Amino acid sequence: MDSVSLSTSAGISGRNGVLDGRPDPYVNTLAKESGRGASTFGMTESSTQRSSSVPRVLGLLGNQTTRHHYRRGSHDEIFYKDRTFLIEVDGVIKNLLQQEDTDHDIQITIDDNGPKSFHLDNLDSDGTRHVQIRGTYMLANLLQELFLARNSELRFLMLNAGQLSEDPVSRLNRLIKESFWNNLTRNIDESGIELAAQDTKTVEAPPRIYIPHGAPEQFAYYSRLAQERPSMHLDVQWLPEGEISAHFIKDLNHKPGLLALEMEVLSQGSSAEQKRPKGLKGLPFIVPGGRFNELYYWDASFCAFSMLESHPHIVKSIIRHFIFEIKHYGKVLNANRSYYLGRSQPPFLTDLALRTYQVTRQEHDARDLLMLAILAARKEYLSVWMAEPRYDRSSGLSRYRPIGLGLPPECEPLHFSLVLQPYVEKYQMTLEQLTEAYNKGDIHEPDLDEFCLHDRACRESGHDTSNRLQHVAADLATVDLNCLLYRYEADIAYTIRTIFKDHLEVPKDFCAPGDKAGQVESSGMWDRRARRRKALMDKFMWNQDKGLYFDYNTATKQQRGFETVTCLWTLWCGVASPQQAALLVERGLPKFECAGGLSSGTEESRGANSASNFQKQWDYPYGWAPHQILAWDGLKKYGYHEEAERLIYRWLHMVTRVFADHNGTVVEKYNVTEYHSPHNVNAEYGNQGLYFKGVPQEG
């Protein structure tokens, strides 16, 4: 997500140069203003006068590591930055990799031990016009430009040398807006269904799409498409009317498929209309990484927050998809695959809708889209999050507790091997045989049922996986979920009162159980819901002695005690009082702040890693962008601007340094305690964004 554009000049005052008892390089390097002669980004102070201190600041960490690396910068790019070269693509790629890619991963990084200097000739100069490209950053940029040319099937590349020394913050910002978002965009119509139907998480199956009964025009569209393109082997299926059961979802697992999303009707008389059955076009959406081809709830929400300025049309489409899902599937789904029909994810619809309205309010349909989004969010709130099994009547709080049976089919084959091993031995079966027998219901094991219940809830939380939620997720009224619902209550109240003049009529399509079509919503009832939730969170989740909010276990009737950075979401949603906020900043923030930003939890709560307690990706020492962004917004909301700017700087410095030092790498999560290679994550499936050849195209 485009976090770099949020701040490129955040201050770092307020620290004393010590972090958790250790020298803090993200502060001390600024105080010393010393280091190698060449900066991270191919420019030294002696070579040019800088207009901003940020690139210089971002390049001063090298002297904090004990490991020596060859020079990463370039002393002399100022003399040739305006030159243009004609390059033979394949030949230069071969020579460049042979010389500089010493670890043979088809990338040029600070881990390579080549000479860090490459002689680049201009093809039309008979060897008389050339330049030395020096330093990791510029060499990696050269490699990336060459691979982009190769991917476009170009034999020769006209390259301006200034492209290689582009400021890394500007380059990353540009790539996010002009390349990464576009390459992560999908749509489900004749132009995109073959890609979207590919599911890397399940066994190979023919492309299949399920259509809800309320969208007959889509069934006709896809049926006609299947007839006109038989080589695609598209299987078009109806979903049954009425409520979807856990047994039905399990029965679909042997023939998984996409779930239809919103489409729009093409304008009458357009030439494109004649080429598409029934004149329908799939609306675009964003996927969270190259291995995914479906629309995820909270992943797409955070991408959308960052795309509003550059791609508002995609953000509006994402909102329309969410509305479509609530209308036809009863909830915004974890993702639009058949095996996710019983599962949602953290709800962000009201915040996304209001942000979008503020940016697009001059557009003719802005108010109508906001109204539909608020009506859909209201239905989602009442029929999903405030209804059993997710709603806990005893505490009045809500939990992640989706319906389902069996093991999640989207997981890697060996993901549950440790859990299943005792049953493999008990029944004298192979792992594959045991999995099949359990999923069919031939084996009944209550303890395994309980494990799967909590595993599904962990996945619905978006924090899959974490020791915080392991074996207990379905019983937890989590801080984060109840913060999100408090935000729903406050947002809906605000919108009804200020935009719809305290009068919002509920149509039949958006009625929750017990509603009457045409009933009128006022802001007062939503204000009362918000006040009630704050009182319940204060009663069950707030710990005055520790100055933290904790998840509440609805089974044991006790606070969980696991320290989680989501306690800072209480600042973002506004549920914390000023006194609670002060304690959170004083006692809570230092527990999670690390060199590269906020960790998901604390090392103490995670416990020591072992064969039975393996490292989870949502635990310490890993940090994720959503936790950073919500903490920044929350701290600024309560007036803690210095703390917010310090955290912004830490995160953006780390992200930009990895980008500059490691061939343009941008990943989904970082080890925020690691200074040299925070992108190298040894947990579960590794890290998205690492495994590319030559050039990253998705971030």
Side-chain angles (χ1 to χ4, degrees):
M1 63 187 60
D2 190 0
S3 56
V4 173
S5 66
L6 294 176
S7 172
T8 57
S9 59
I12 61 160
S13 59
R15 299 291 291 189
N16 59 8
V18 176
L19 183 69
D20 296 333
R22 307 184 307 275
D24 187 349
Y26 284 63
V27 175
N28 291 337
T29 50
L30 299 179
K32 294 178 180 178
E33 291 289 335
S34 62
R36 288 189 301 257
S39 79
T40 304
F41 308 127
M43 191 176 288
T44 64
E45 290 295 321
S46 61
S47 65
T48 185
Q49 182 67 35
R50 299 171 190 265
S51 60
S52 168
S53 65
V54 174
R56 175 174 52 83
V57 166
L58 295 177
L60 291 175
L61 287 193
N63 62 330
Q64 295 298 312
T65 73
T66 58
R67 180 176 178 178
H68 174 73
H69 294 285
Y70 286 88
R71 183 177 52 182
R72 297 184 291 181
S74 296
H75 288 286
D76 53 0
E77 96 296 330
I78 187 67
F79 300 116
Y80 59 78
K81 66 180 181 179
D82 293 327
R83 295 184 186 176
T84 300
F85 292 85
L86 181 64
I87 305 169
E88 196 271 311
V89 173
D90 286 340
V92 175
I93 286 177
K94 178 181 178 181
N95 293 336
L96 182 60
L97 289 175
Q98 186 175 21
Q99 174 181 299
E100 297 292 345
D101 180 25
T102 60
D103 59 7
H104 309 296
D105 62 354
I106 322 296
Q107 299 177 22
I108 297 175
T109 74
I110 60 171
D111 294 322
D112 289 306
N113 293 317
K116 304 293 185 183
S117 180
F118 185 78
H119 184 88
L120 186 63
D121 288 316
N122 193 335
L123 280 179
D124 63 2
S125 67
D126 297 323
T128 61
R129 189 178 177 202
H130 61 268
V131 71
Q132 291 294 120
I133 307 299
R134 301 178 182 178
T136 298
Y137 177 63
M138 295 182 69
L139 290 169
N141 287 349
L142 173 60
L143 182 67
Q144 292 168 60
E145 296 298 329
L146 290 167
F147 263 83
L148 287 173
R150 174 187 279 181
N151 294 343
S152 298
E153 300 182 349
L154 298 178
R155 289 183 57 200
F156 301 96
L157 171 65
M158 190 71 73
L159 177 70
N160 185 290
Q163 294 174 251
L164 306 183
S165 59
E166 181 181 9
D167 177 86
V169 173
S170 300
R171 181 177 177 87
L172 177 54
N173 205 16
R174 176 178 60 80
L175 288 175
I176 289 171
K177 292 180 178 179
E178 298 178 3
S179 177
F180 293 170
W181 288 140
N182 294 335
N183 292 331
L184 290 170
T185 300
R186 304 286 188 272
N187 62 296
I188 307 177
D189 58 18
E190 65 171 324
S191 67
I193 191 170
E194 288 188 83
L195 175 59
Q198 296 175 20
D199 190 354
T200 62
K201 303 179 297 303
T202 61
V203 296
E204 285 191 23
R208 181 179 293 110
I209 186 164
Y210 289 96
I211 314 296
H213 264 269
E217 71 287 350
Q218 290 201 24
F219 190 87
Y221 172 91
Y222 290 113
S223 296
R224 183 173 168 184
L225 181 61
Q227 292 175 352
E228 294 182 351
R229 293 168 62 177
S231 61
M232 190 167 54
H233 304 291
L234 179 63
D235 182 15
V236 184
Q237 297 282 336
W238 282 112
L239 277 179
E241 290 188 89
E243 188 172 343
I244 299 293
S245 69
H247 286 282
F248 175 79
I249 298 170
K250 186 188 74 169
D251 290 342
L252 286 185
N253 287 344
H254 72 281
K255 49 179 182 179
L258 277 173
L259 298 171
L261 294 174
E262 183 65 283
M263 304 183 81
E264 64 179 352
V265 179
L266 292 174
S267 300
Q268 291 294 323
S270 69
S271 59
E273 182 184 5
Q274 307 303 317
K275 300 179 181 179
R276 291 184 174 89
K278 296 298 183 184
L280 295 180
K281 178 183 178 182
L283 297 178
F285 59 90
I286 291 293
V287 298
R291 69 187 287 255
F292 300 106
N293 290 311
E294 52 277 332
L295 173 69
Y296 286 81
Y297 193 173
W298 85 314
D299 302 83
S301 295
F302 274 93
C303 290
F305 293 154
S306 301
M307 298 175 71
L308 262 173
E309 291 186 6
S310 60
H311 295 72
H313 65 290
I314 295 182
V315 176
K316 291 167 64 177
S317 293
I318 289 171
I319 294 173
R320 290 190 175 99
H321 288 313
F322 290 164
I323 295 168
F324 180 92
E325 289 188 322
I326 292 172
K327 181 178 177 180
H328 294 285
Y329 306 125
K331 62 180 72 66
V332 182
L333 302 169
N334 186 152
N336 63 311
R337 296 279 181 191
S338 55
Y339 44 80
Y340 291 135
L341 276 166
R343 195 192 309 169
S344 187
Q345 267 195 330
F348 280 92
L349 180 53
T350 60
D351 187 42
L352 178 59
L354 279 168
R355 291 189 193 213
T356 304
Y357 177 74
Q358 294 301 324
V359 172
T360 65
R361 62 192 310 165
Q362 301 304 321
E363 298 180 11
H364 70 91
D365 63 342
R367 191 174 184 274
D368 291 340
L369 180 61
L370 177 63
M371 178 181 294
L372 289 175
I374 293 299
L375 287 168
R378 175 194 174 276
K379 179 179 179 180
E380 176 196 24
Y381 171 92
L382 293 171
S383 60
V384 178
W385 304 112
M386 292 299 288
E388 294 181 348
R390 293 175 177 85
Y391 178 64
D392 176 55
R393 292 185 177 277
S394 176
S395 65
L397 299 170
S398 297
R399 311 165 292 192
Y400 293 110
R401 202 178 178 97
I403 63 171
L405 293 170
L407 296 165
E410 74 271 18
C411 296
E412 296 83 356
L414 299 179
H415 184 83
F416 297 106
S417 57
L418 287 177
V419 174
L420 296 178
Q421 187 57 37
Y423 304 101
V424 167
E425 296 172 1
K426 176 180 178 180
Y427 290 100
Q428 294 296 297
M429 294 179 174
T430 65
L431 181 64
E432 185 177 355
Q433 290 170 335
L434 188 282
T435 300
E436 183 178 1
Y438 176 69
N439 285 340
K440 282 184 175 181
D442 296 338
I443 290 176
H444 300 281
E445 289 289 346
D447 289 345
L448 192 51
D449 295 343
E450 183 79 4
F451 170 84
C452 290
L453 169 68
H454 294 305
D455 183 80
R456 284 190 297 272
C458 178
R459 296 178 190 284
E460 185 170 68
S461 77
H463 293 79
D464 47 320
T465 60
S466 166
N467 282 352
R468 167 191 167 210
L469 304 171
Q470 195 86 340
H471 308 299
V472 73
D475 291 332
L476 290 184
T478 64
V479 175
D480 30 302
L481 176 57
N482 285 278
C483 282
L484 292 170
L485 297 180
Y486 178 86
R487 186 63 175 258
Y488 262 44
E489 292 154 353
D491 284 347
I492 293 174
Y494 167 83
T495 307
I496 294 175
R497 180 169 52 250
T498 62
I499 298 175
F500 301 122
K501 299 180 179 179
D502 227 11
H503 184 99
L504 181 63
E505 189 171 311
V506 181
K508 180 180 178 181
D509 283 347
F510 294 105
C511 282
D515 286 345
K516 293 182 179 180
Q519 72 180 58
V520 174
E521 293 285 286
S522 66
S523 61
M525 66 177 67
W526 290 94
D527 285 327
R528 290 191 292 273
R529 285 180 172 128
R531 288 195 297 269
R532 180 174 184 270
R533 190 172 302 275
K534 172 175 172 48
L536 294 173
M537 292 180 70
D538 286 346
K539 177 180 179 180
F540 294 114
M541 295 178 166
W542 174 247
N543 189 307
Q544 180 72 19
D545 294 336
K546 296 185 177 180
L548 293 175
Y549 287 87
F550 290 97
D551 300 329
Y552 178 72
N553 190 316
T554 60
T556 64
K557 312 297 184 186
Q558 295 178 336
Q559 290 182 354
R560 171 81 164 110
F562 193 106
E563 295 170 335
T564 169
V565 74
T566 59
C567 69
L568 299 178
W569 291 25
T570 56
L571 304 179
W572 168 80
C573 76
V575 74
S577 68
Q579 294 76 20
Q580 289 168 325
L583 283 174
L584 277 169
V585 173
E586 176 189 346
R587 301 180 188 176
L589 187 58
K591 291 178 177 290
F592 308 108
E593 185 173 357
C594 300
L598 295 170
S599 172
S600 298
T602 63
E603 185 174 15
E604 181 182 2
S605 287
R606 181 202 67 186
N609 288 328
S610 65
S612 59
N613 183 33
F614 60 89
Q615 177 68 57
K616 314 296 192 306
Q617 64 175 357
W618 283 93
D619 284 338
Y620 176 94
Y622 301 129
W624 293 71
H627 290 164
Q628 319 300 317
I629 293 171
L630 296 188
W632 304 341
D633 286 354
L635 287 165
K636 287 187 287 185
K637 178 180 292 186
Y638 283 80
Y640 294 97
H641 297 282
E642 186 176 283
E643 288 79 2
E645 290 174 356
R646 185 177 71 239
L647 292 174
I648 291 169
Y649 171 79
R650 289 187 181 281
W651 179 260
L652 298 187
H653 178 288
M654 176 185 63
V655 170
T656 309
R657 187 182 184 215
V658 168
F659 174 79
D661 287 351
H662 294 275
N663 208 108
T665 293
V666 182
V667 291
E668 66 175 355
K669 55 183 175 286
Y670 294 83
N671 182 339
V672 292
T673 68
E674 168 63 38
Y675 305 133
H676 171 62
S677 308
H679 59 299
N680 287 330
V681 169
N682 183 26
E684 301 181 63
Y685 58 78
N687 212 353
Q688 280 206 101
L690 281 180
Y691 311 110
F692 61 87
K693 301 299 182 184
V695 58
Q697 299 200 55
E698 297 164 341

